[in-house]
Amino acid sequence: MNVDLILWSKRARLEHAKVLEELKVKKTDLLQSEFSENRLRLSRKIGRMQLIPIQLVDPLSSTDCYTRTTQTGNIVFNSGVSHVRQATPLRILPKVEQLPAMFSWVAINKNHSVDDETELRNIPYVDGDDHDDTFIEEFVKNYDGKVHDGANVIEDTMLVKIVDNLIKQYHEERGLNFSKAEASSVSSLPPPTIIIEAVLTLLEKEVNVANVNELTKKYAHCKGDSTTPLLPNLDSATAISATREQALHTHRSLFCRRCYKYDCTLHPFEVPPATFKHKKPDISEPTEPCGPHCCLSSPVRRSLRDKSAIVGTPKAEPSEPTWTNSEQTMLRIFRPMWPSNFCQLAKVLSSKTCAQVQQFADKETVLSPGLFQAHSSPPRANMTKKRQQQRRLWTMHQKRQDMGLKTGEGLNNLYNYRPCDHSGQPCDELCPCMINSTFCEKFCLCSSGCKNRYPGCRCKAHCSTKQCPCFMAVRECDPDLCTACGASNFEPDRPDSATCKNVAIQRSQHKHLFQAPSEVAGWGIYLKEGAEKHEFISEYCGELISQNEADRRGKLYDRYMCSFLFNLNNDYVVDATRKGNKIRFANHSVNPNCYAKVMMVNGDHRIGIYAKRNIQSGEELFFDYRYGPTEQLKFVGKERYDAGSFKA
């Protein structure tokens, strides 16, 4: 560490202490002002109230307070004031069984990926014998002695203030004095590297960054110096006329291409754009006018059917319509989907006719020639070669699957799937999918003809037997790949409309469960409706944590003798202790009525709970936790309860 970095690190620590002191003073002043205002408000309210003094009554002794009459079984109460005596019968209340204890948890319906806790957030409470202190000391050692005390928490506002103060000192030392206009432009520049390195050395653990570039980006994000400013809502009155790239910036940065939703909690890492092309609905260009003012009635529009025709300006309507900023932006968003189908664009906008849409689109084309020009469709690929290539993929996939079943490699060694990113290069021994013995999925950037790409199934039945390659590979059918079995057929009003029965987890076709005190231990989960053999019951959801984090948490759970850890693959574990769903209350049994199976669902490993036999309505659910012989003695199972070794 050089001399300058040591000097600026000391200054960073000093600024950190100053900011903490300022926040402490502000918090104290705020509490004092709120207390004074609240006390003044209460004093005014009491002053406006007309209070009547209450006549005090001398307290009665325990013997004078009530008199019990043995003849009638009643009890007479004496209030001590001039009231009529009251008599009430005595009845013994029935004993109410105490509800089982339960740790608080958050209900979720899908796995949530969380970061490893490198610091112990709090010292856990452990009751029991005299070895508690020894257990706590050993437990803290798992976190390298790092205990979060809350004193050095660095919030975003504190980070910005520390860096700004250091930048001010940096400029003052060099004699740089800026005016207000110059200061605004200088503040938009990235801070000096020496300052970022000093802050990183001091606050690396608190701000959770790894290098100078990440801290610079975090500082710019907290300060609001974003290179792409957020646009106002398109439905608001402050909407502006934006380009297609500006309007879709939030969609491309926040939308998960694997979950098809915003702010995905399962894939926190950046997902590369998929090369798989979804089949779009075949909307052909209309040949007949859609209305009296259709653009097809214009001779210029008729000439546009020839793709080589030059875009012209049709006859304008008597009054040129007014386009709002929202309508202009929406047209730019949907124009590449239907470059010359103005009737379809008018249906999407629903506020303009197709002639008006064509008139505005032609003006946009003149201003930006070639941007929305309709291109001729590429020649269709030779279907014979495509079928031959598909058959080769099927044959290689079947051979590889048979080899994995014989050796047991595909069932025991499960690795988390990460899309390979080597566009332009074939998948070889260096491909992460090949190294982890996983198939290339539709989210990988390799070519569609990759030899390692999973092709899907060609079943004509329900895909619920070993004849289906997806069922044999312990994965659900992909709606984008398995089109013959009906996995892509889905009606929201009819969840069972799909002919394929191997899509239960991804469509949340779970059974109705209810929670109640268990007949074995603690709480249990019961089935409200019957289930047939091998029918999907529920998904086991929780926090997706690493194996190292699971080892640290598991030591505390073993001490509590209550664990909800479930191995997902060689990389991750599902922990339903803090977050989960109701199936977490299913108890253990070596002769259960359910079984768990890890399924590959659209590139993600997910845990499904299935019926091992026909289960009646109202029956409690059990599945095998796969404990070892020594671990079974630590937990209460169904067999121990039946044998009488457990007393409720």
Side-chain angles (χ1 to χ4, degrees), residues 11 27 49 126 165 171 177-178 203 350 436 462 477 488 543 565:
R11 293 179 179 179
K27 185 177 181 179
M49 298 173 61
V126 179
N165 293 341
H171 291 161
N177 297 322
F178 302 102
L203 311 175
S350 71
N436 296 332
H462 295 166
C477 292
S488 58
E543 291 181 313
L565 296 175

Side-chain angles (χ1 to χ4, degrees), residues 452-505:
N452 192 44
R453 186 175 287 264
Y454 186 78
C457 70
R458 297 180 296 177
C459 302
K460 302 293 184 182
H462 295 166
C463 299
S464 57
T465 61
K466 294 183 179 180
Q467 296 179 355
C468 174
C470 295
F471 186 86
M472 282 287 292
V474 197
R475 56 186 296 150
E476 287 197 348
C477 292
D478 195 322
D480 296 322
L481 302 177
C482 309
T483 56
C485 62
S488 58
N489 301 331
F490 178 69
E491 297 179 11
D493 299 336
R494 297 173 55 197
D496 299 333
S497 59
T499 56
C500 179
K501 302 302 181 183
N502 195 25
V503 290
I505 296 181

Side-chain angles (χ1 to χ4, degrees), residues 118-343:
T118 57
E119 280 188 353
L120 187 60
R121 296 296 179 181
N122 60 288
I123 301 296
Y125 171 76
V126 179
D127 56 351
D129 50 19
D130 298 334
H131 300 285
D132 296 342
D133 296 338
T134 305
F135 172 77
I136 294 298
E137 292 178 1
E138 295 178 353
F139 186 70
V140 173
K141 289 181 181 179
N142 297 326
Y143 296 88
D144 298 331
K146 301 176 183 177
V147 180
H148 178 74
D149 56 358
N152 295 323
V153 178
I154 305 301
E155 300 178 352
D156 295 343
T157 55
M158 294 176 60
L159 176 64
V160 173
K161 198 164 186 177
I162 291 173
V163 176
D164 288 345
N165 293 341
L166 293 177
I167 293 176
K168 187 177 180 180
Q169 296 180 19
Y170 183 85
H171 291 161
E172 289 177 354
E173 286 187 355
R174 286 154 179 77
L176 301 177
N177 297 322
F178 302 102
S179 60
K180 293 183 178 180
E182 294 174 345
S184 59
S185 60
V186 172
S187 62
S188 61
L189 299 176
T193 307
I194 188 65
I195 294 179
I196 296 298
E197 290 179 353
V199 176
L200 181 63
T201 305
L202 176 65
L203 311 175
E204 182 176 0
K205 300 176 184 178
E206 286 76 10
V207 297
N208 193 20
V209 293
N211 51 43
V212 175
N213 295 330
E214 291 185 7
L215 183 57
T216 304
K217 292 180 181 179
K218 182 176 179 65
Y219 167 75
H221 176 73
C222 297
K223 195 173 182 180
D225 298 334
S226 179
T227 55
T228 306
L230 298 179
L231 297 178
N233 193 345
L234 290 177
D235 297 329
S236 63
T238 59
I240 63 175
S241 179
T243 62
R244 191 172 189 269
E245 289 72 18
Q246 292 175 340
L248 296 179
H249 171 72
T250 304
H251 169 76
R252 291 171 177 171
S253 59
L254 299 180
F255 187 76
C256 180
R257 271 76 173 175
R258 292 176 63 174
C259 294
Y260 297 102
K261 67 178 182 180
Y262 289 96
D263 295 333
C264 170
T265 58
L266 187 59
H267 310 106
F269 49 85
E270 183 178 357
V271 180
T275 57
F276 181 83
K277 302 297 182 182
H278 294 273
K279 185 178 179 181
K280 297 180 180 179
D282 187 12
I283 302 178
S284 58
E285 294 189 15
T287 56
E288 298 295 334
C290 60
H293 300 288
C294 181
C295 57
L296 291 178
S297 59
S298 173
V300 178
R301 179 65 181 89
R302 286 196 297 267
S303 65
L304 284 176
R305 297 176 187 174
D306 185 7
K307 302 301 180 182
S308 62
I310 301 176
V311 178
T313 304
K315 295 181 181 179
E317 294 186 347
S319 59
E320 187 175 355
T322 301
W323 285 74
T324 62
N325 295 333
S326 300
E327 292 173 344
Q328 296 178 20
T329 305
M330 292 295 293
L331 180 61
R332 297 187 185 106
I333 292 174
F334 291 104
R335 179 79 186 280
M337 300 179 63
W338 305 288
S340 58
N341 192 346
F342 300 108
C343 296

Side-chain angles (χ1 to χ4, degrees), residues 429-446:
E429 291 77 9
L430 300 178
C431 175
C433 298
M434 298 286 288
I435 295 175
N436 296 332
S437 299
T438 59
F439 288 104
C440 289
E441 304 290 340
K442 59 185 178 183
F443 307 105
C444 292
L445 294 182
C446 54

